[in-house]
Amino acid sequence: MSDAVTLERDGTVGVITVRNPPVNALSQAVRQGLKDCVSAAAADDAIEAMVILGDGRTFIAGADIREFGKPMAEPGLLEVLDMIEGSAKPVVAAIHGTALGGGLEVALSCHYRVAVDSGQVGLPEVKLGLLPGAGGTQRLPRVVGPQMALEMIVSGNPIRARKAVEVGVVDAIVDELQAGAVAFAAAKAKAGGPHPVISADDSKVKGTDPKLFAEFRKSIEKRARGFFAPWRCIDCIEAACTLPFAEGMKRERELFEQCMNSPQRKGQIHAFFAEREVAKIPDVPKDTPVQPIASAGVIGAGTMGGGIAMNFANAGIPVTILDSSQEALERGLSIIEKNYANSVKRGGMSQAQADKALGLIGRSQSMDDLGKADVVVEAVFEEMELKKKVFGELDRVAKPGAILATNTSTLDIDEIASATKRPEAVIGTHFFSPANVMRLLEVVRGAKSSKETIATAMDLGKKLRKVSVLVGNCDGFVGNRMLNPYTREAAFLVEEGATPSQVDKAIYEFGFAMGPFAMGDLAGLDVGYRVRKAREGKRDKAMRYSPVADRIVEMGRHGQKTGAGYYRYEEGSRTPVPDPEIEKLIRDTAKELGIEQRQVSDEEIVERLVYALVNEGARCLEEGMALRASDIDVIYCNGYGFPVYRGGPMFYAQEVGLDKVLARIQEFQAVHGDLTWKPADLLVEKAKGSGRWDS
Ligand code: T1G
């Protein structure tokens, strides 16, 4: 018997414990161990019932994702589940931590499920580009009904134990995991006996109105656009409601294989592991001390400051918003209150949760009130002298050991830090708008940021439910630095003959949430205009420059906020409407610049935009501004709407073939010159070498 799974008697109950840290994934050893222990318990007359539980912090959290893509070693999971379900003695799953994916499928093959109050259950396979492939799509609907099964499996989100009891996935909440489960199992041995989910009574699925599936497919059209797996999940659940169990299982297997063989599974699993890699910082050891964050301050009650403050409140951390202007403070706080009210209306949180969070947000007009904060995030107007003044004052009042963070997106962290006597405590925490929604947090290390400051900022991101990525202090850090050539190429493409809507449509169909022109209109074209004007003196005049964006802003068209930018917007609508006036402006400008017009293909649009990202990303890697290519993928999938099913720009390029990407970039270089399209040295090296960023 493998030590990954052990069987001990507890009275008349055989307790089967899975030990496969850190999350008890269903590796081959675990599958074998489960099979051996269930048969041993079945053969032991002294055992009248069984309990399956996980050692350590959680029940089984799913199949071992690292095994995917390799031949699956025996015994297969389905064989093990059939054995459990077919047991003549009652089998009880005892859930703590998270029973996810294959873990919940193991629990569903048991006859009963109990959980501690803090336990969670879920089928998150769709987030990996997969679907529950061990009967989850056939058993769950039989327990909770098709509607709840659709919501759980297509969203991939877990539910808490109490909710699981409500919907029928869990039979009882126990205080003590093993003791409670053993007592429950012993009682079932006396009265109740085995109770497979797939009992003859299919009342939860029989007679399901077929309209349910059509309506559900319609309801996910926006959020599942471009994805492969969500639609297959629905097909499986429909099969559970229309086919006998055995045939439904066959349908599930067939669709699971389709997902497994889809390039999207590779992209999404890459993204899963990439999100865990970001926490590994070569020169900041895992055991670097992290400062406790019991209270926070935010300076600046604008849109960003308000969103940042909400992050702290949502994480249960008391936060004080400071603004010198009473009016700005009032306005900022009323926007926060509106945000919470909307969230409650949308069902995103309960009124009690909103009230609790609001209760944690204080206000002040005096810097002295930030003297007790463990971390202060500055989010004032993007102007260096102002930021340095704020940091000088903050340095005077902040307590020793406080983290002094700036939310700047374009300014030099080191220069800001120079305004304090404690540069080691200064760090960039670049939130993305809307700050209380976007998951990405770029943590920008200054030259003097200490390891403790970096470790604390990275950990703070996790506490705020962000994905923190450590980046270097170059112009635009990593995300926005890569966005520069991306938007530059978009501007050049429309001068060469494409239209803004053609460019936006091509990249939207590639999978981006939004194209560059619609994005510019949303963010406000005047933002970029101010940055370009501030840098006019430093601009390399030899570099091709498109004046179109400046001319649009100078026409007073700043985007959605003025009702017109690249596109027109009908009163009260945010839908971009192509505007012949802008298309004429672009044509006239191109003529003035002597740029010959031509048909631009959608394929070239996608290549020029995406490879511009890849080439600049390679430069960020070369310069050490990003620690690894997969960090760049995490940045783009979580902060810039890059389609996660393609893994991120760097993974996508690697899947296309770095040699092919290089060849295409060299073609652009031949046409457009070195200043915009010289291939990054690292790209050349990898394309001619391993073809992989990480080797
Ligand atoms: N397989 C392999 N490794 C895993 C893993 C898994 N399922 N889950 C986590 N890890 C690793 C992770 O890479 C990290 O490694 C460490 O464990 C801690 O993870 C047949 C086909 C359970 C909620 O999708 O959601 O079952 O970086 O940092 O924040 O139908 O891990 O330390 O080297 O995330 O406490 C379905 C995925 C699989 C669950 C814990 N299951 N995992 O979060 O820790 S497909 C999932 C999670 C499947 C069946 C199908 C989370 C967690 P390292 P962590 P955490």
Side-chain angles (χ1 to χ4, degrees):
M1 204 171 286
S2 82
D3 58 7
V5 185
T6 55
L7 167 65
E8 280 110 22
R9 270 199 225 131
D10 183 337
T12 61
V13 175
V15 177
I16 296 170
T17 304
V18 177
R19 282 185 188 78
N20 183 24
V23 297
N24 290 325
L26 285 158
S27 62
Q28 188 280 335
V30 169
R31 298 194 301 272
Q32 186 61 55
L34 279 171
K35 186 178 171 187
D36 296 345
C37 290
V38 170
S39 7
D44 183 340
D45 294 341
I47 290 177
E48 296 174 359
M50 296 174 224
V51 163
I52 297 177
L53 53 76
D55 184 48
R57 61 182 168 137
T58 180
F59 189 73
I60 300 163
D64 186 336
I65 305 173
R66 296 184 198 283
E67 285 182 352
F68 292 159
K70 302 169 197 148
M72 186 59 80
E74 292 300 323
L77 186 53
L78 290 172
E79 177 193 340
V80 177
L81 301 195
D82 287 349
M83 213 179 144
I84 294 170
E85 189 162 64
S87 160
K89 300 176 180 175
V91 186
V92 177
I95 295 168
H96 75 301
T98 51
L100 297 177
L104 179 54
E105 289 172 307
V106 167
L108 287 168
S109 71
C110 294
H111 304 137
Y112 304 95
R113 288 152 294 282
V114 300
V116 291
D117 196 48
S118 57
Q120 295 187 49
V121 299
L123 292 173
E125 290 88 338
V126 72
K127 295 181 178 178
L128 301 174
L130 291 168
L131 55 81
T137 68
Q138 305 304 305
R139 290 191 175 90
L140 188 65
R142 285 173 165 80
V143 174
V144 303
Q147 178 63 42
M148 187 68 198
L150 282 166
E151 287 168 21
M152 285 182 69
I153 292 172
V154 177
S155 73
N157 295 331
I159 58 174
R160 294 190 174 287
R162 287 201 179 285
K163 173 83 177 167
V165 171
E166 228 178 85
V167 299
V169 180
V170 166
D171 298 291
I173 300 283
V174 293
D175 295 334
E176 294 292 313
L177 184 69
Q178 178 163 333
V182 165
F184 187 96
K188 288 302 175 188
K190 298 265 178 292
H195 181 72
V197 159
I198 52 162
S199 59
D201 161 30
D202 271 357
S203 58
K204 290 267 188 178
V205 291
K206 265 213 180 85
T208 300
D209 182 345
K211 279 211 303 295
L212 172 74
F213 301 101
E215 283 160 8
F216 197 85
R217 286 186 175 99
K218 192 141 183 49
S219 74
I220 67 161
E221 263 168 14
K222 196 160 178 302
R223 66 185 153 99
R225 177 178 67 88
F227 285 87
F228 182 72
W231 310 96
R232 304 295 80 75
C233 289
I234 300 174
D235 296 343
C236 286
I237 296 161
E238 194 166 27
C241 298
T242 52
L243 300 173
F245 180 74
E247 283 178 49
M249 285 298 285
K250 275 204 204 89
R251 183 77 177 124
E252 177 188 270
R253 179 54 35 189
E254 178 191 306
L255 293 171
F256 178 79
E257 291 305 333
Q258 285 183 25
C259 291
M260 188 56 93
N261 298 329
S262 151
Q264 295 196 6
R265 182 265 302 168
K266 283 181 80 178
Q268 291 180 249
I269 287 182
H270 165 78
F272 172 86
F273 285 118
E275 273 196 32
R276 283 141 184 91
E277 276 306 294
V278 295
K280 297 168 187 168
I281 303 163
D283 67 338
V284 179
K286 206 168 171 158
D287 59 359
T288 302
V290 162
Q291 333 265 63
I293 303 288
S295 74
V298 173
I299 305 175
T303 315
M304 288 306 284
I308 293 167
M310 289 177 70
N311 286 318
F312 283 106
N314 295 341
I317 299 170
V319 55
T320 300
I321 299 188
L322 179 109
D323 201 298
S324 54
S325 139
Q326 173 70 21
E327 193 233 335
L329 210 46
E330 294 306 332
R331 191 173 53 245
L333 284 152
S334 68
I335 291 171
I336 290 173
E337 281 155 12
K338 251 191 234 109
N339 270 332
Y340 277 119
N342 290 340
S343 183
V344 170
K345 211 186 297 171
R346 277 198 313 271
M349 60 169 49
S350 67
Q351 187 58 55
Q353 286 167 322
D355 295 343
K356 181 164 173 279
L358 277 166
L360 292 171
I361 300 177
R363 68 184 73 182
S364 162
Q365 287 182 266
S366 155
M367 194 67 99
D368 294 329
D369 289 340
L370 302 185
K372 294 194 177 60
D374 298 306
V375 59
V376 180
V377 182
E378 166 273 315
V380 300
F381 187 68
E382 195 73 348
E383 200 278 308
M384 182 54 87
E385 286 324 303
L386 174 60
K387 289 189 187 288
K388 288 170 79 171
K389 178 171 170 299
V390 165
F391 270 78
E393 288 173 32
L394 187 54
D395 191 27
R396 180 174 54 76
V397 303
K399 70 181 189 182
I403 302 290
L404 312 184
T406 170
N407 176 54
T408 184
S409 54
T410 60
L411 300 176
D412 182 336
I413 308 290
D414 295 336
E415 189 175 345
I416 293 172
S418 71
T420 74
K421 297 186 196 65
R422 44 177 137 173
E424 73 285 354
V426 177
I427 194 139
T429 48
H430 179 208
F431 289 85
F432 285 73
S433 181
N436 56 309
V437 173
M438 297 297 280
R439 282 191 72 218
L440 177 61
L441 176 68
E442 274 187 325
V443 175
V444 192
R445 67 186 300 170
K448 296 183 179 154
S449 300
S450 70
K451 297 184 192 313
E452 291 75 11
T453 298
I454 293 169
T456 303
M458 293 295 285
D459 181 63
L460 174 64
K462 203 163 178 176
K463 284 192 174 73
L464 301 182
R465 297 188 203 104
K466 302 289 178 188
V467 56
S468 314
V469 186
L470 185 66
V471 295
N473 178 34
C474 58
D475 183 6
F477 312 138
V478 170
N480 285 345
R481 170 171 162 178
M482 289 167 59
L483 201 61
N484 285 335
Y486 173 89
T487 44
R488 177 200 73 208
E489 288 306 306
F492 291 170
L493 281 159
V494 295
E495 286 181 343
E496 293 165 29
T499 61
S501 46
Q502 182 194 358
V503 170
D504 280 357
K505 185 166 175 291
I507 205 71
Y508 176 82
E509 282 171 3
F510 173 82
F512 269 78
M514 194 182 271
F517 297 109
M519 176 60 81
D521 276 1
L522 176 67
L525 301 175
D526 49 323
V527 177
Y529 180 80
R530 269 201 303 277
V531 174
R532 287 192 300 275
K533 288 303 162 198
R535 298 182 174 181
E536 193 129 54
K538 286 188 281 183
R539 180 160 58 84
D540 178 348
K541 297 292 183 284
M543 167 88 91
R544 177 180 167 188
Y545 180 80
S546 168
V548 168
D550 297 343
R551 292 181 182 179
I552 293 175
V553 172
E554 284 153 9
M555 289 162 71
R557 297 174 65 131
H558 295 182
Q560 286 192 19
K561 57 185 161 186
T562 58
Y566 280 96
Y567 298 99
R568 263 184 316 101
Y569 298 85
E570 305 302 342
E571 184 60 35
S573 156
R574 302 162 70 90
T575 309
V577 178
D579 187 343
E581 186 185 351
I582 293 300
E583 289 175 18
K584 182 176 179 311
L585 178 140
I586 294 170
R587 296 290 151 256
D588 294 349
T589 306
K591 198 158 164 229
E592 184 192 311
L593 298 171
I595 296 170
E596 211 178 301
Q597 299 300 283
R598 63 185 174 88
Q599 281 299 321
V600 180
S601 70
D602 289 354
E603 189 194 10
E604 179 184 347
I605 290 171
V606 170
E607 288 174 331
R608 294 244 316 250
L609 294 186
V610 176
Y611 294 171
L613 291 178
V614 174
N615 207 31
E616 197 62 33
R619 291 211 177 88
C620 291
L621 283 171
E622 273 168 19
E623 298 166 21
M625 294 299 146
L627 284 172
R628 51 185 83 82
S630 60
D631 281 16
I632 294 172
D633 291 332
V634 171
I635 287 173
Y636 261 75
C637 289
N638 290 282
Y640 293 84
F642 194 95
V644 69
Y645 55 78
R646 294 187 191 272
M650 309 308 273
F651 182 80
Y652 171 72
Q654 189 172 277
E655 291 296 291
V656 166
L658 296 183
D659 53 345
K660 294 192 182 68
V661 172
L662 173 61
R664 198 68 179 109
I665 287 178
Q666 285 166 333
E667 287 171 18
F668 296 149
Q669 179 185 20
V671 173
H672 302 285
D674 280 9
L675 280 173
T676 51
W677 281 105
K678 183 177 180 305
D681 296 342
L682 184 69
L683 172 61
V684 175
E685 175 203 327
K686 296 298 183 185
K688 297 191 178 334
S690 65
R692 291 182 59 82
W693 295 110
D694 59 0
S695 61

